[in-house]
Each structure stands twice: as structure tokens, then as C-alpha cells.
Amino acid sequence: MKSLEEIVEILKNNLPDVVLEAHSEIKFEPFILIPSDKIDKVCLFLRDNPELYFDSLVNLSAVDDFNGQKIKDEQGNEIMTGGTMSVYYHLESIKFRHKLLLKVTTERDDPIVNSVVTVWNSANWHEREAFDLFGIKFNNHPDLRRILMPYDWEFGHPLRKDYQNPEFYQGMKVPY
Amino acid sequence: MKQYFNNIFTALVTILVGMKVTLRHLFTPSVTIQYPDVKLPLPERERNRLYVNMDDCIGCDQCARACPVNCIEIETVKSVPGEDLGKTSNGKKKALWVTKFTIDFAKCCYCQLCVFPCPTECIYMTDVYEFSEYDRNNLIYNFSTLTPEERRQKLENLEIYNQEKESKKGVS
Amino acid sequence: MIYDFFYNLTGSVIISGTVVALLPLFAFILPFALFAVLLERKVAGHMQDRLGPMRVGYHGILQTVADIIKLIQKEDIIAKDNDKLFFNIAPVLTFAGSYAAFAVIPFSSIFLGADIDLGIFYVIAVTGLVVAGILMAGWASNNKYSLLGAMRSAAQIVSYEIPTILIVLSIVMLTGTMSLYDLSENQTAYFWNWNIFGGPNLDIQKFLLIPFMLIGFIIIYISTLAEVNRTPFDIPEAESELVSGYHTEYSGMKFAMFFLAEYANMFAVSAILVILFFGGYQSPLGYLGNTLNIPWLIPIEQFFWFIFKGIFFVFVQMWLRWTLPRLRVDQLMTASWKYLIPIAFVNLLIIGVISLI
Amino acid sequence: MSVRTEEMVLNMGPQHPSTHGVLRLELTLDGEIITKVVPHIGYLHRCFEKHCEVMTYPQIIPYTDRMDYLAAMGNEFGYVIAVEKLLGIQVPERVEYIRVIMAELQRIASHLVAIGTYGADIGAFTPFLYCFRDRERILNLFEITCGARLLYNYIWIGGLSHDLHPDFIRLTKEFIREFKPNLKELNNLLTFNKIFIDRTANVGILPLETAINFGITGPMLRASGLKWDLRKDDTYSVYNKFDFNIPVGDGRMGTVGDSWDRYFVRVLEMEESLKIIEQAIEQIPDGDVTAAIPKRIKPPVGHIYSRVENPRGELGYFIISDGSTSPFRVKVRAPSFVNLQIMDELCRGHLVADVIAILGSVDIVLGEVDR
């Protein structure tokens, strides 16, 4: 069992070029904020370090933070520009029984995060889902396609907070 | 070679054991029932089609707000002074005409969330579970006791009352 | 013989031939198929703690009649890319293959289509037609699942014919005849004269033969099970893998033909088993007609016993079907080539040695 | 002479008897040997996570039921625990016991479906109906408790919708007594049948390393030989008060982590669940089950990841609250969704018939995969 402070300490000592921000003031689950282009490196280190050995990625969830500026588009729909999107990584070490939450934030308008599929295969479909529903692009993902929505869905990414349903899809009326 | 004969032996034995099981079941009474002819008794907490006792409904809209699928639609009109709407069975005074109370059973998910918040216990689940229809629109049940004419009249009453109030205000 | 009876009655070769040819179909196969389908469903139902069909008639006895009427009414669907010629021929060929076997099966000592000397050989030959029909159906359906089913079926039937033939060979070797009528007549009188109990000769040979006859019977039962594509060897149909295998694309009467062929085949192989091992149409306990001295009762009794034994083995087929899972295609081949064929061979040799004693 | 050969692409599903729903597997075949499997999902997508953003916390409970519809109690349980952690509520002891009883009954019911359909996939149809016969009795128990048979909306935030029915304890004891011989009979009919063993042993072997890397949880992970059960290893509710074993695959019929192990772990787990229910029924305290239900559910700002051991594996809810009455984001870590990823890895090199055997042993529920 390692506490968050110890893990942060190990990370800082071994990966000096990564800027870490530990948020231990959060009430339920403290997390470490990691730059989106370094996440794969950090994850690989976390998995392979014999002291930490985070061998399992429990969950990967993307979140639309919806903290940008609200503007109106041509049709009068409220959309958002700017702001961030976050990806949360819940890691667990089955061997040492400790858990860790990593967070990555990225630009909402052009969200790009490095993929961790090479570290944990379980990230594959989670990342596809995040791409499908939020539009977050994962660098180096082997098979970044839509997963829950139809492959030819061209009306955006539905879990974004400002998503608008299309009127028609393939000639079918969408709102029933 | 030992494995070879062992395979034959286990195969034959396990097949015979399985056959014994099925043979025994051939002579045990069946557990199914002939559904439309025989029906199982329903437990007392059965959750099936909703029913609204309109005599008790005060139009408070709490069931509609609790519904996760928005299958309940309620429209109320304020009563004007002098109209007596009666009381509910547990002594609450009614103040609203419930001009529309429909439940769309095609949408209803039978979760019972609407039953608990009701202050007068007028919406509850019955034991009717066979109510399939050929047309989806027939599944929209209207519980309101008011006819469309009455509804229009209530609306007019309210409008007249409001206008009077307005004019009174204007006068004073 | 039944042919002579009709010939004497009508005096015409054509009429009596036609009657004899059609008699098993209308007197036996169609009623049997109706009955067997119902039996299958009832057996399945009760084994699974259900009731089976209950609506049409008392306890659903008219259910299959209703099904047949439904199948006749159904539209005959032929998909655009099907090979029309083979698609239409296949069910007929399959049915013809299983129906032709009934020509030589002796239902009783007089109800016998043709008493040919190579009866058992003929049966094995014509049932091979079924494979051709299934292959045609699978190919002509132009459906990957159907094709896979048909390929599996061909491989399966070809490999399971070998143990069947080896066991048949051992019986033929012992009795010295291939005629099904003679085989049945040999095992006359009481049940200890049946081949499964070592045949009619009462000597040391009979008792030596009993265990090997039992082994032979089990092997031929398993391999005939495979030949008629019943569980655990129903991989050509394999409902949960190949949807329905070779007859996925068929509907209406053509599907009914496959269905009919399957049930006719089930009885045909059971009948062969009965003739080879269980005394054919012979009664196990002597005839009522003999004791009461009514000679015309004997063929009727024989017919009854034959049907009874046949349906018993059909029932066992059903029983197995509703008990066992299905083998995989490679395990099916293993079962045949590594288990059944070597054992059948050894069995054949031992029976040969015993028959020399 | 060389013969031109080409690989065949076979679409298994979305309408296929053995894909357990609307799953489409794109199989690339070399003869009958699988070279590649690509699962296509999403045919049953019902926008659960989008729905959650516009609904209040209690209203989400009926929706969680519909994810893994064979284990609805487990889904509610996981969600409710997550929200209670956010709110900081302590629920009465009796409520916890009833929740555990319900979750374990649900686990038996769910495993019965898994086992029964697995038998049907392999070709034995009769065990399927025997399993459903027993499951029906569990559903009857649920029905007398809360009135619904499949989608219960029974476990609420802070409590339960109803207390136990007066007959419940008696009927449950009766069920346990009569279910034990049925389980033995099932083993005789299917589990130890030679054909069934041949079909499943040494098929779809999942090594432990791969399983952990793919995030596999639940009976599948345990079949690969790891004693990992959230009920014990990350205990929640009152599971620490019961004495039960965690069955793991031991490769009795073949290799550790093959399909037979995955199947048999489920059979053993049903026995363990019976043990838990027996103990819980004995120990259940008195109390009011609706006392702690809060009138207004408005969790503070924050996020929580909470997980429970569902019949199919680790069911996690990641809930972000922005302080309003409806969650800002709910992400469900559905066990079937994660477990299904392994299909390609498991199936490669096997026959078409083995795909069925492997898929059945993964035991997916498409309602949960697609949410």
C-alpha cells in the first residue's frame, strides 16, 4: 500500500520532465493531474515500476468539463467554445492493493490525448468509447473507430453537453 | 492406451448418468402452466398497470415529476372561488381542476416511483397485466373525469374570473 | 409377399408395382412422421419439465397435422442468388434417398417391398444419396452457414459409414446372408434367438458372441445416429452455431421434405438395427396367432412388433438428443476414426474367429 | 500445382441464436479456423449516460436496472452505494442485510442463465430449461418482495422500497433446500458430461497475465486462477460479516483458465452465494428499511468511483456531482463491455464451433455492453 504522496514522490524522482499536480484536497478521491502528452509515459512507468506495479486499468472515463464560453451558432443553438475536457484513469495494483486516480485535461475544441493501449489493453474500447461519445482523439490508438454509435454517424459526439440531435439519419427521423 | 479406454469409459458412464436424469424427469410432473387457461396468483405487491383514482387526485403534479420516463401528463386549471371541488378521502381540500391526466403505458416502465410521492395515495398499481393493443395510441389512458366541454368551460371560468380580478384591480 | 398378393388381385404388373411402391409411403412413412414429430416434441417437453404441444386436439395430438397444413400454405421462397436447379432438386433427392431404403425393409413376413439378396447392401448404398442431397442444398443455398453445414455433413456421413459397414459385415459374416428378409427369418421364435444374444444356434459360440454383439450394437447405434444427423452428432444442422445448417434457406414444402426425410431416415436406421440385432419383425415371446391357431394374425403381430421395436429405438434417439450436448466437428471425426473404426475392426476380427470355432 | 485460397468473412449476428443478443462478430475464417474476430457492438445502445445527465438521482435507478437486465439488483446496488458515498449516508443494518440477500439471489439467478444458455450453445437444451425453472423461483421471491420480476427498482438511495415480505424468509429457506439437489443434478447432466468437457476444456485458454492486462474481472478472472473478489478484496456493505470462499479455476479438466473453468467457477459461486444467503437470513436484524431515505438528494460537488462485484465482474460507477439534483456525468464501467474485448485473443486459432463455446463462457449481456 502506497499513499498518494509516496506515489507522487516516486514519480517526481523518476520522471523529472513531467509536470505533476497532486490534488489531495478533493473530498472523495484525490488525483494527480498529468499533461495529456505525457500520460502514456507516466502510465508505462506506473505499470513497470516494481514498487508501484499498477497492472490493471480499472476504468477510463472522459468528461466534458463544459467550462468554456457559451455562444450561439447560426441556427441559434447554444454551443461552447474553449474550455477543457478531462480523462480520468482509475488504476489499481492487484499485487499491492493500492489505487490511483490520474486526470488529464485537454483542449475542448481539439482534444488530443496520448493513448495508453500499449500499456493496458483494456484501454482499447474505453478509449474508443471516449472518442465516439466525446470526440477525444487518442494518439497511437490502433483502431480508433466509433464503437457505440453507427460507424457513419456524422452529427458529432453525443455526450458533449452542447450536442444537438440531427433531424434525420439515413432518411429516418431521429426524434421519434 | 490407458487414457484411450478411460475416455471410452467416462463417455459411456457420463452419458448414462445424464440419460438417467432426463428419464427421471420424463415422469415428473411439469412445472409449466397452460397460461391463458391457468393463471398464477399475483402477489400483493404486484406492479402492473397504474390506476388513478380521480376522486382523490388534487393535481399536485408530484407523480409526473417523479416519473423517469415522463409518461404522465397532467394539466390543471385553478378553480374560481365559489366552486366546490370536494375533499379527498383523507381530508385534503382540492383546489385544482385536473383537466388532463394521461398515462402513456407504452412508455411506462412500471418502476413505481410515482406511487410513493402521492400525498393522497390516489395513484397506485393494480394487478391488470393483460392490456396489449394493436395501436400504440390506445395505450394512452386518460384518467381525467372532465369532458372536453367541461374543460373548456373551466378554462373560460378562470379567464373570466381573472379578467374580473384585473378589472377590479384597475378600478381600485 | 405383398407384391404377389396384389398381382393375384389385379393381374397387372404396373398397378401392383405402383401400389407396392407407394404403400410404405402412405401406410407408414407419412403417419410415422406425423407421429414421430409429435413424439419428439412430447418427449422433449416432458423431459424438460414442460408439457409440449397442448392446444390442438387432446394433449396436442393434431399439432403436427396443423404444422403440415401451415407448411403447405407457406410461400416457397427462393432467394435471388440461389442455384435454382439444385435448390429444387436437393429436397427431392434427400427424401428419395431415405425413402428408397424402405423398399427392402421387411415390415412383416409378407409386407415386404422387394426381397433382394443384397438388401443390406442396397440400403447402405441408397442412403448415401442423402449426402448428395444435403451437399446440393448447402451449395445451392448460396449461404455460408448452409455451405459449412453441408460440408460438415458430407464429411460426417462418409466417415461414419465405415464403422456401420464393418458391423454390418460382421453380422453378414456370421449369418451368411445379406437379405434382410432372411436375416429376420433366421432369428425366429424367441428373443434368445436374436443376434444380440448370439443368434439362433445354441452352442458355446452363442455365449462367446454375446459381449461382442453388444459392443457391435453400441457402435452401430452411435454411427447410425451420426448418419441421420441427430444429437450429439447434429453438427450439420447445429442450430446454435450454423443457425440451421443446410436447410436454413428452405421454407414451406421443401423444408417439409427435409423434415420428412429426417424422420423417415430415423426410422430406417432403427429398422436396420432391429433387423440386424433384434430379430426384425419376430416376436420375442411367440405369436398369439400360433397359440390361437389363427394364421392371418401372425403378420399383423409381426408388423406390430417391428413398429414397436423401431419406435423404441427412435425414442432412444430422441432421449439422447434431449440429454447430450453436441460434439465439435474435429471431435466427431476423432470419435469415428480413433474410436469407432478400430473397435469395430477388432470386433469384426473377434467375431470372425469365434465363428470359426 | 497451387490452389488459390482465400479467407472467408463470416458475419455471426446481429441475429444469431448464440450471440446472446444483438452482437455482431465479424469472423475471418481460414477453412473453419478463425484467424480474426472483430466484435461490432452498439446495436442496443440506449444512451444511459446521456439520460443520467438530465435525471435526478433516484430516477436513474430504474435505468440502471436495464443495463445488465439479468442482474438488475446488482446494478442498483452498485449505483446506490456510489451515491450514498457521495452523500455520506449510513444506512441501517437491516437494509444492508436485505441488499446482500437480494444481490446474492440475483447472482444465483444470473449464473443460472449463464450456465443454462451455455449448455444450449453447446447443444444441450435440457439443462437450459432446468436452470430457468430454478431461476423462476428466485424471480418469484423478488416478485413477492417488490412486485417486479426483472427490473426491480427495489434498492433505493438510503434504503429500500419495501421491507421483506413476511413469507420471504420461509420461502427462501425452502428454495435453498430444494435448489441444492437440483444443482447436483445439473452437474450430473451437464458439468461432468464427457462431451461437454471435450467441447469446453482446453478451449479459449486465458492466461492470468493477459486477463489482468485486458482488465478482465469477475468469474472470468477467477477462472484464470486469481483469487480476486471485490466482496472480499474491496469489501462493501456487510460482506465482511459472512464466511464464504472464492472459487478459482484449477484446470481440473484441462488448462487453468479454459472455458470449462469459467463455467465451473460459476457453478461453485452459486454454492457460495447460497452459503451467504443462509448466513444472512440467520443474522438479519430488525429495523426500519425506509428510515434513512433522504428527502432531497443533492450531493456535494465531487466525484466518486465506486464498484461492486456483479455476477459478470466489476461493475463500477464513476459519478461526478456538480452540486445539483442530477449528476454531471455518470460513467459506467460495465464488466461485459470490458470482458468482451478479449474475444479476438481467445478465439484465434479455434474453430467456428469454439467461438460459440468461448462467447458463452465470457457470458456477456448486451444491455450492459451497449448501455
Side-chain angles (χ1 to χ4, degrees), chain A residues 26-29 31 47 55 58-65 88 90 92 94 97 99 101 119-122 124-126 129 134 145 147-149 151 158-161, chain D residues 38-42 45 49-50 53 85-86 212-215 226-228 233-234 300 302-305 307 314 318 320 328-329 331 333 337-338 340-341 369-371:
Chain A
I26 302 291
K27 192 180 166 196
F28 300 107
E29 287 187 324
F31 59 84
R47 188 193 72 178
D55 49 359
V58 173
N59 189 18
L60 186 156
S61 39
V63 178
D64 180 4
D65 293 330
Y88 290 83
H90 287 84
E92 182 171 32
I94 286 177
R97 311 270 151 122
K99 294 184 226 169
L101 176 57
V119 188
W120 300 288
N121 278 313
S122 55
N124 191 330
W125 280 18
H126 282 304
E129 191 188 316
F134 290 92
R145 288 176 295 147
I147 182 164
L148 293 174
M149 305 296 286
Y151 294 125
L159 267 183
R160 290 189 175 215
K161 296 263 175 186
Chain D
V38 184
H40 296 268
I41 62 172
H45 182 50
E49 289 168 8
K50 190 78 179 171
E53 292 175 5
K85 274 186 192 160
L86 267 179
I212 293 173
N213 197 270
F214 271 89
L226 182 66
K227 238 187 167 86
W228 178 260
D233 290 302
D234 191 5
H303 56 77
I304 187 105
Y305 178 77
R307 52 193 191 165
E314 173 182 332
F318 182 61
I320 300 180
F328 185 72
R329 164 101 169 99
K331 153 93 187 180
R333 185 226 187 259
F337 177 78
V338 183
L340 187 60
Q341 288 185 57
V369 174
D370 296 341
R371 300 190 294 289

Side-chain angles (χ1 to χ4, degrees), chain C residues 3-4 89 111 117 154 194 258 291 314 323:
Chain C
Y3 178 79
D4 301 328
I89 290 175
F111 187 0
D117 289 340
W194 292 352
F258 278 117
T291 37
V314 170
T323 305

Side-chain angles (χ1 to χ4, degrees), chain C residues 47 49 144 240-241 322 331, chain D residues 9 18 121 126 130 133 198:
Chain C
M47 276 183 180
D49 287 352
K144 287 170 186 169
S240 58
E241 293 157 25
W322 298 109
Q331 288 160 352
Chain D
V9 176
S18 295
D121 288 347
T126 307
Y130 291 172
R133 178 197 62 196
D198 278 357

Side-chain angles (χ1 to χ4, degrees), chain C residues 183-214:
Chain C
L183 270 169
S184 308
E185 281 295 305
N186 276 345
Q187 308 172 48
T188 187
Y190 298 101
F191 65 85
W192 53 81
N193 286 344
W194 292 352
N195 279 342
I196 188 99
F197 299 114
N201 308 326
L202 195 67
D203 49 17
I204 182 78
Q205 201 184 350
K206 178 183 167 82
F207 295 101
L208 283 175
L209 275 174
I210 290 176
F212 300 103
M213 280 298 181
L214 206 62

